Amino acid sequence: MTSVINNAPALVQKRNLVTAIPGPKSAELMVRRKAAVSDGVGGTMPVFVAAAGGSVVLDVDGNTFIDLGSGIAVTTVGNSAPAVVEAVQDQVALFTHTCFMVTPYEGYVAVCEQLNELTPGNHPKKSALFNSGAEAVENAIKIARSFTKRQAVVAFEHGYHGRTNLTMALTAKSMPYKHNFGPFAPEIYRMPMSYPFHDNSSGIQIAETAIHRMEKEIGAKEIAAIIIEPIQGEGGFIVPAPGFLTALSKFAKDNGIIFIADEIQTGFCRTGAWFASEHEGLVPDMITTAKGLAGGLPLAAVTGRADIMDSVHVGGLGGTYGGNPIACAAALAAIYEMKSNDLIKRASQLESIFNNRLSAMQKKFTSIGEVRGRGAMIAIELVKSDGTPDADLTSKMSKFCHLNGVIVLTAGTYSNVIRFLPPLTITDELLNEGLDILELAFTSVT
Ligand code: PLZ
């Protein structure tokens, strides 16, 4: 096994199944998992990983899977990308931790400089680093409340922002994220979301409804922040109709409300731009990032207008591990990889492959209600013949893909969306092979 792990970066980029799925070693580990790990922790794949490299995952029985999930939009530059591995190895040998609040180091500052430069808008910006997406969202809300001296926060239908107490309150879906876990944080209000496949309304119409409700139900001058994913991730890759986001952002600006774009899933080249906000010319006051930022190491950030970020009292922001030096080294290497390999352009190329293949499938299989998304963040929403969500088919389809060597993820309020988030370094051949299996799933399952 050791030799396999040492060879991880050189893993052959090909699907290859050598046992039934799961194989005997994975099955054995699953028994140990069942005995030792809380049943509350969810599980998608029936196999245990031995190594991963680029866009494939090798399991403990020697099966190689095509990775169309990137560990939920994280390994954008490829799994164990050589540049990330080298940066991490160098840093871990120098020092593993000092706590930035105790003895600072350059990597943290350099990541903040990159974030301030790459996020939308030319205004002065500052950043602060944290460990997880949820922690970044929590801190963005803390900062917005501190700056505005207001309390109310607006989130949206189908939104996802995390699993901590405040972020559960912001997250829309009850099962599995919120069920039995209340009471939730107060002063959170949920507004209608533009969901073109379901609402048949213009972005402006839905924004007007949301704005009217914010004015009447909360009071515009009570609102500290509006937080929204420019393309909703867990909610089902919902791309709001044009005009929706810009109308909300204008309302925020006119009323002294901090507009926060949660780009934790959409950020870092994923949608064919550094950030999805750019597709609508949005310049958020604050932006939360994580996932793709650090090539697989846990790192998250809040970046925002310098006046907002500096409004918090000294010592008001922090945490033992936030901006850990190893994670910062990984982030700098990952960002370097994105720039030097032009992964923004690559995301757009992948978008064309997805759209060609999936639109052709949509003509053949009536259960595909919609193909949507941007860049390498593409999904299909599956429906029954009467147009209602087909969660059962979605689960059967994804299971078929898993058992046939392709990692796909599901999403959606109605659990009827299959979403694709491959590493942006995936080859055309491997992506096409993954989509061949998806096509086979349609003919086999339906
Ligand atoms: N905001 C937009 O997508 C994380 C959740 C997986 P953390 N999405 C994956 C799961 O089931 O827990 C996410 C996101 C957006 C915030 C988060 C939260 O990021 O790093 O998982 O805390």
Side-chain angles (χ1 to χ4, degrees):
M1 195 45 64
T2 320
S3 65
V4 167
I5 290 170
N6 285 342
N7 285 334
L11 286 181
V12 179
Q13 301 294 298
K14 219 173 159 21
R15 186 179 67 102
N16 181 32
L17 300 186
V18 296
T19 71
I21 305 296
K25 288 181 184 156
S26 278
E28 224 176 280
L29 282 166
M30 214 44 103
V31 173
R32 279 174 57 196
R33 170 187 170 142
K34 181 79 190 145
V37 180
S38 162
D39 284 350
V41 180
T44 300
M45 294 294 295
V47 297
F48 277 73
V49 58
S55 305
V56 297
V57 173
L58 176 68
D59 81 4
V60 288
D61 292 287
N63 300 297
T64 306
F65 294 77
I66 301 173
D67 185 5
L68 300 186
S70 299
I72 324 189
V74 171
T75 53
T76 301
V77 294
N79 211 313
S80 289
V84 172
V85 172
E86 200 186 318
V88 165
Q89 283 172 340
D90 288 351
Q91 177 57 47
V92 82
L94 284 173
F95 59 97
T96 51
H97 172 85
T98 59
C99 183
F100 186 75
M101 298 186 299
V102 178
T103 316
Y105 37 89
E106 184 181 348
Y108 188 116
V109 179
V111 170
C112 291
E113 287 168 348
Q114 289 292 315
L115 286 161
N116 300 342
E117 189 188 311
L118 295 171
T119 48
N122 295 322
H123 53 283
K125 281 178 245 162
K126 287 200 175 182
S127 296
L129 304 183
F130 304 96
N131 301 293
S132 67
E135 203 188 345
V137 171
E138 291 253 357
N139 278 280
I141 303 296
K142 278 164 66 173
I143 299 165
R145 282 177 167 159
S146 168
F147 178 78
T148 58
K149 308 284 186 292
R150 302 175 182 178
Q151 295 187 355
V153 176
V154 169
F156 291 83
E157 293 168 349
H158 315 290
Y160 182 92
H161 301 286
R163 294 174 181 264
T164 57
N165 188 263
L166 176 58
T167 59
M168 271 194 295
L170 294 168
T171 291
K173 194 175 177 180
S174 170
M175 195 57 125
Y177 308 121
K178 303 166 77 166
H179 176 68
N180 283 343
F181 295 150
F184 304 111
E187 286 303 315
I188 306 293
Y189 300 85
R190 191 167 313 287
M191 291 296 142
M193 173 71 189
S194 165
Y195 190 164
F197 183 59
H198 285 271
D199 61 33
N200 284 315
S201 300
S202 78
I204 308 287
Q205 280 169 322
I206 307 280
E208 274 171 2
T209 307
I211 289 167
H212 179 75
R213 284 189 44 195
M214 284 189 261
E215 284 169 336
K216 296 298 163 204
E217 296 173 24
I218 316 167
K221 299 286 184 246
E222 310 292 328
I223 304 174
I226 292 175
I227 181 163
I228 191 161
E229 302 152 84
I231 298 175
Q232 289 180 322
E234 304 305 306
F237 288 15
I238 302 166
V239 187
F244 179 72
L245 293 170
T246 39
L248 292 176
S249 148
K250 180 173 185 309
F251 170 73
K253 199 180 173 87
D254 293 346
N255 290 282
I257 299 166
I258 307 303
F259 186 87
I260 306 171
D262 181 345
E263 294 242 20
I264 286 166
Q265 192 153 158
T266 49
F268 292 100
C269 308
R270 176 54 56 190
T271 67
W274 276 107
F275 296 94
S277 296
E278 294 167 40
H279 298 296
E280 290 244 22
L282 269 188
V283 179
D285 298 308
M286 250 195 253
I287 177 161
T288 53
T289 54
K291 291 187 184 282
L293 164 61
L297 277 282
L299 187 68
V302 180
T303 301
R305 271 166 42 194
D307 57 329
I308 301 174
M309 297 299 290
D310 282 340
S311 68
V312 179
H313 53 281
V314 175
L317 304 176
T320 306
Y321 293 113
N324 168 274
I326 303 164
C328 286
L332 293 171
I335 293 170
Y336 177 82
E337 287 293 285
M338 292 176 209
K339 288 179 182 170
S340 51
N341 296 314
D342 199 351
L343 292 189
I344 290 180
K345 185 165 150 218
R346 184 63 189 148
S348 301
Q349 292 168 348
L350 295 174
E351 177 175 353
S352 321
I353 299 180
F354 272 118
N355 282 340
N356 288 341
R357 293 291 309 267
L358 295 173
S359 315
M361 285 185 221
Q362 191 179 21
K363 291 198 182 91
K364 275 163 73 179
F365 309 109
T366 52
S367 47
I368 304 183
E370 189 176 49
V371 179
R372 61 169 177 259
R374 277 200 165 112
M377 182 173 183
I378 302 289
I380 48 177
E381 177 158 351
L382 302 184
V383 292
K384 297 179 188 157
S385 50
D386 63 358
T388 58
D390 200 340
D392 185 47
L393 175 65
T394 306
S395 138
K396 285 186 181 136
M397 290 279 304
S398 67
K399 186 149 190 230
F400 181 96
C401 291
H402 300 163
L403 296 184
N404 287 280
V406 181
I407 302 174
V408 294
L409 306 173
T410 57
T413 297
Y414 315 107
S415 308
N416 68 326
V417 173
I418 299 180
R419 56 171 156 165
F420 306 101
L421 293 159
L424 299 182
T425 53
I426 195 169
T427 61
D428 291 7
E429 295 71 33
L430 203 60
L431 176 56
N432 273 310
E433 195 185 344
L435 293 172
D436 290 343
I437 298 295
L438 179 81
E439 188 154 3
L440 190 64
F442 273 111
T443 42
S444 309
V445 174
T446 51

